Amino acid sequence: MDRSEHVLNELLVDIFNDILQIEQQALKRGELSDLSVTEIHTIEAIGEYIPRNMSEVANDLKITLGTLTTAINKLIKKGYVERERVEEDRRVVKVKLTKKGKLAYKVHQKFHGDMIKETINGLTEEEEEILITSLEKLNNFFKDRYNLNNKESSNV
């Protein structure tokens, strides 16, 4: 591994670990101290306004319906999510955020927005494009190499 590869490896590993740790710390310090990072990402997948069916959310999170059901049950107990039956077909159940869930969603969106603003702060338009292209290549590599388009891919 040459110097550039070594530096890139260290940066990517550090950034990944730091983001997870910072998200967890931010949750623990704020009014959302009862949420885990996984739960906040479930809230994010549900979305702020439109009720969604469980399979849509599970697909977005790349988890099974059973795993999502467990997560949703916890979020309902904590008051962030509620289930609603569709009037036209009472068998269909959708999930949606409560007022508390929408607040959590907004707080998390702000965290990510601040992170992105700081990442591109001071970059030229050309540098932004290079960063985007590089991250897209990395993202595509992971998806292709590790079949991340499939549910619950094998862990690395």
Side-chain angles (χ1 to χ4, degrees), residues 19 22-37 39-41 43-44 47-49 80 97-117:
I19 288 171
I22 290 164
E23 276 188 313
Q24 193 66 58
Q25 287 172 358
L27 287 171
K28 293 299 174 211
R29 280 196 310 268
E31 61 252 46
L32 310 173
S33 60
D34 60 338
L35 288 174
S36 69
V37 171
E39 288 171 329
I40 197 73
H41 289 153
I43 287 170
E44 183 179 41
E48 194 172 6
Y49 296 111
Y80 290 97
L97 300 182
T98 62
K99 187 175 180 181
K100 186 177 176 183
K102 288 177 183 178
L103 172 65
Y105 180 90
K106 286 179 178 144
V107 167
H108 189 66
Q109 289 300 107
K110 183 181 180 333
F111 170 81
H112 280 270
D114 291 347
M115 179 177 63
I116 297 306
K117 282 180 190 144

Side-chain angles (χ1 to χ4, degrees), residues 25-110:
Q25 287 172 358
L27 287 171
K28 293 299 174 211
R29 280 196 310 268
E31 61 252 46
L32 310 173
S33 60
D34 60 338
L35 288 174
S36 69
V37 171
T38 301
E39 288 171 329
I40 197 73
H41 289 153
T42 302
I43 287 170
E44 183 179 41
I46 293 168
E48 194 172 6
Y49 296 111
I50 301 166
R52 299 188 69 205
N53 70 45
M54 294 279 283
S55 57
E56 291 172 335
V57 177
N59 284 335
D60 286 354
L61 292 170
K62 296 177 178 36
I63 60 175
T64 65
L65 209 46
T67 300
L68 179 63
T69 299
T70 301
I72 293 296
N73 288 340
K74 287 181 185 176
L75 288 169
I76 288 171
K77 281 183 187 164
K78 293 179 180 185
Y80 290 97
V81 174
E82 59 189 10
R83 285 187 177 93
E84 89 179 3
R85 296 221 175 258
V86 175
E87 285 304 316
E88 301 80 47
D89 185 347
R90 303 287 295 158
R91 296 169 298 175
V92 177
V93 177
K94 295 202 174 203
V95 289
K96 68 179 187 177
L97 300 182
T98 62
K99 187 175 180 181
K100 186 177 176 183
K102 288 177 183 178
L103 172 65
Y105 180 90
K106 286 179 178 144
V107 167
H108 189 66
Q109 289 300 107
K110 183 181 180 333

Side-chain angles (χ1 to χ4, degrees), residues 120 123-136:
I120 62 174
L123 295 182
T124 65
E125 225 174 280
E126 184 182 355
E127 289 169 328
E128 275 185 44
E129 284 304 315
I130 291 169
L131 178 62
I132 289 168
T133 302
S134 299
L135 291 174
E136 283 174 339

